[in-house]
């Protein structure tokens, strides 16, 4: 998978990248043309410890030109990205309604994601109340479009 700085920023902010995955990430960064002493040092580590990664991570972030995001910023960035992916796919969007709840929890109950964390429950309620699937789908897709546009 190609190196995606926006995705890496968000995943780092939410501690989604394990220490043993960091050398592979450094290899991807090198392939993308992001080079520097800290990147090379990280790429050379084999099964790094938390402390080894923590020591060089600030320099790596600087070499890669990444922004250190807050958990809320990272959550919103990932939610918008996920909404765009769902909108562009041919998958059933309802299967992904819980994605936003888990992201909301992961961000520490972000205010910006609050309007989207109950999407799964709102979909269930709509179906239980007898709303037609095409109406619920249209409503759900509008919510995703609003999120993607934030």
């Amino acid at each position: 998978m190609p190196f995606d700085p926006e995705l890496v920023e968000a995943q780092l902010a939410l501690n989604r990248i394990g220490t043993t995955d960091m050398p592979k990430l450094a290899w991807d960064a090198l392939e993308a043309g992001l080079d520097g002493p800290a990147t090379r040092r990280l790429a050379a580590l084999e099964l790094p410890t938390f402390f080894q990664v923590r020591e060089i991570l600030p320099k790596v972030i600087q070499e890669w030109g990444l922004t250190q995001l807050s958990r809320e910023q990272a959550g919103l960035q990932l939610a918008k990205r996920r909404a765009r992916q769902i909108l562009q796919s041919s998958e059933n969007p309802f299967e992904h309604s819980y994605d936003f709840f888990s992201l909301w929890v992961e961000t520490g109950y972000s205010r910006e994601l609050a309007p989207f964390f109950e999407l799964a429950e709102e979909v269930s309620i709509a179906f239980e109340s007898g709303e037609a699937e095409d109406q619920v789908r249209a409503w759900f897709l509008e919510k995703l479009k609003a999120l993607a546009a934030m």
Side-chain angles (χ1 to χ4, degrees), residues 60-111:
V60 167
I61 289 171
Q62 186 177 29
E63 288 176 2
W64 295 350
L66 302 180
T67 303
Q68 289 191 318
L69 303 175
S70 69
R71 292 179 73 74
E72 281 194 353
Q73 291 170 317
L76 182 58
Q77 197 163 300
L78 290 176
K80 289 165 62 171
R81 180 186 200 93
R82 188 69 188 121
R84 286 190 299 267
Q85 289 171 340
I86 294 167
L87 289 166
Q88 293 170 358
S89 78
S90 59
E91 296 178 47
N92 180 353
F94 301 132
E95 292 177 5
H96 303 286
S97 59
Y98 283 102
D99 294 357
F100 303 99
F101 175 80
S102 58
L103 191 53
W104 178 67
V105 171
E106 191 176 355
T107 62
Y109 312 105
S110 163
R111 257 188 237 150

Side-chain angles (χ1 to χ4, degrees), residues 2-140:
F3 185 83
D4 183 341
E6 184 180 284
L7 181 60
V8 172
E9 285 174 342
Q11 289 180 326
L12 286 173
L14 294 173
N15 297 315
R16 285 184 161 192
I17 303 173
T19 56
T20 56
D21 296 324
M22 292 300 290
K24 168 75 169 88
L25 185 60
W27 303 336
D28 292 342
L30 286 167
E31 288 177 2
L34 302 170
D35 196 359
T39 301
R40 291 180 192 181
R41 185 171 163 205
L42 181 59
L45 293 175
E46 187 174 324
L47 297 174
T49 66
F50 168 81
F51 299 103
Q52 289 174 309
V53 171
R54 184 179 70 176
E55 179 185 334
I56 58 176
L57 190 57
K59 292 175 186 165
V60 167
I61 289 171
Q62 186 177 29
E63 288 176 2
W64 295 350
L66 302 180
T67 303
Q68 289 191 318
L69 303 175
S70 69
R71 292 179 73 74
E72 281 194 353
Q73 291 170 317
L76 182 58
Q77 197 163 300
L78 290 176
K80 289 165 62 171
R81 180 186 200 93
R82 188 69 188 121
R84 286 190 299 267
Q85 289 171 340
I86 294 167
L87 289 166
Q88 293 170 358
S89 78
S90 59
E91 296 178 47
N92 180 353
F94 301 132
E95 292 177 5
H96 303 286
S97 59
Y98 283 102
D99 294 357
F100 303 99
F101 175 80
S102 58
L103 191 53
W104 178 67
V105 171
E106 191 176 355
T107 62
Y109 312 105
S110 163
R111 257 188 237 150
E112 294 196 9
L113 290 179
F116 305 98
F117 85 91
E118 289 185 328
L119 284 175
E121 188 172 331
E122 291 177 29
V123 166
S124 293
I125 291 170
F127 281 128
E128 288 171 8
S129 67
E131 296 234 12
E133 183 176 340
D134 57 336
Q135 289 177 320
V136 178
R137 182 181 302 273
W139 169 84
F140 186 70

